[in-house]
Amino acid sequence: MNKIEHIGIAVKNLEESNALFAKLFGKPHYKMESVESEGVNTSFFKIGENKIELLEATNDNSPIAKFLSKKGEGVHHIAFDVTDIEAEIKRLQGEGFIVLNEKPKKGADNKLVAFLHPKSTNGTLIELCQEIKDIS
Ligand code: ZN
C-alpha cells in the first residue's frame, strides 16, 4: 500500500454536511459524484495531500443507509492507494483477510476499488483503490 488515499465519512444529508465541512476546512468541496451501483452520493474535499470523502445514501438498501442506522454518522472507511489492486487482493486474501470484492469494481473519483470486511481488520472498513489510468 502506498498511502492513505482518503477517509470516508458517512453523513445523513450531503448538502448540509458539505456546508459544515466547508466551514471546517475553510474551503468548499471540489467535486460531487454519484455511484449508482453503491447507492451513494459522494463529495470530496482536498486538504493538502489528503482527501475526505463524504457519503450519503440514496436508498434504504445502500451500505451507507445500513451503516447510519447501526452506528450513526461518522468515519465509515479508510482508503489506501495501491499500485496493483488485483495483486493486492490476492496478497491480502493469502494473509487471511476477508475481501468483499474479489473482482475490483468502479468506485467514485476514477478508481477501481475493493473493500476488506471490518470483521477481519479489527472493526475498520478498509478500501483499496487504484487510479484508473486514462488510456484515451
Ligand atoms: Zn472511499
Side-chain angles (χ1 to χ4, degrees):
M1 295 190 194
N2 302 322
K3 60 169 189 173
I4 292 179
E5 215 289 326
H6 62 268
I7 294 172
I9 298 175
V11 303
K12 284 184 190 149
N13 181 311
L14 195 56
E15 199 181 314
E16 285 174 22
S17 296
N18 274 340
L20 179 73
F21 280 79
K23 247 189 267 177
L24 177 68
F25 298 138
K27 59 179 162 184
H29 63 281
Y30 67 93
K31 75 162 155 185
M32 290 183 73
E33 202 178 326
S34 295
V35 184
E36 212 48 65
S37 57
E38 290 292 293
V40 296
N41 292 325
T42 68
S43 71
F44 286 86
F45 290 82
K46 202 171 259 169
I47 308 99
E49 295 269 287
N50 304 116
K51 287 190 237 166
I52 299 291
E53 174 186 35
L54 303 182
L55 306 111
E56 102 181 325
T58 57
N59 64 64
D60 290 345
N61 293 320
S62 161
I64 295 300
K66 287 176 190 147
F67 180 89
L68 287 171
S69 71
K70 249 200 232 166
K71 302 195 170 173
E73 294 180 297
V75 173
H76 176 258
H77 65 271
I78 303 177
F80 293 89
D81 177 67
V82 299
T83 310
D84 180 345
I85 194 166
E86 311 236 2
E88 200 65 6
I89 288 170
K90 285 206 187 83
R91 182 182 77 79
L92 293 167
Q93 282 176 326
E95 298 284 3
F97 292 97
I98 303 164
V99 180
L100 294 170
N101 321 93
E102 302 223 4
K103 190 120 192 61
K105 53 185 181 175
K106 177 97 174 54
D109 201 26
N110 198 39
K111 301 276 197 295
L112 282 176
V113 304
F115 288 90
L116 304 187
H117 199 293
K119 174 165 96 182
S120 67
T121 55
N122 285 175
T124 300
L125 181 63
I126 304 284
E127 176 183 0
L128 308 175
C129 50
Q130 178 189 338
E131 180 109 49
I132 299 170
K133 297 275 188 298
D134 192 0
I135 47 167
S136 60

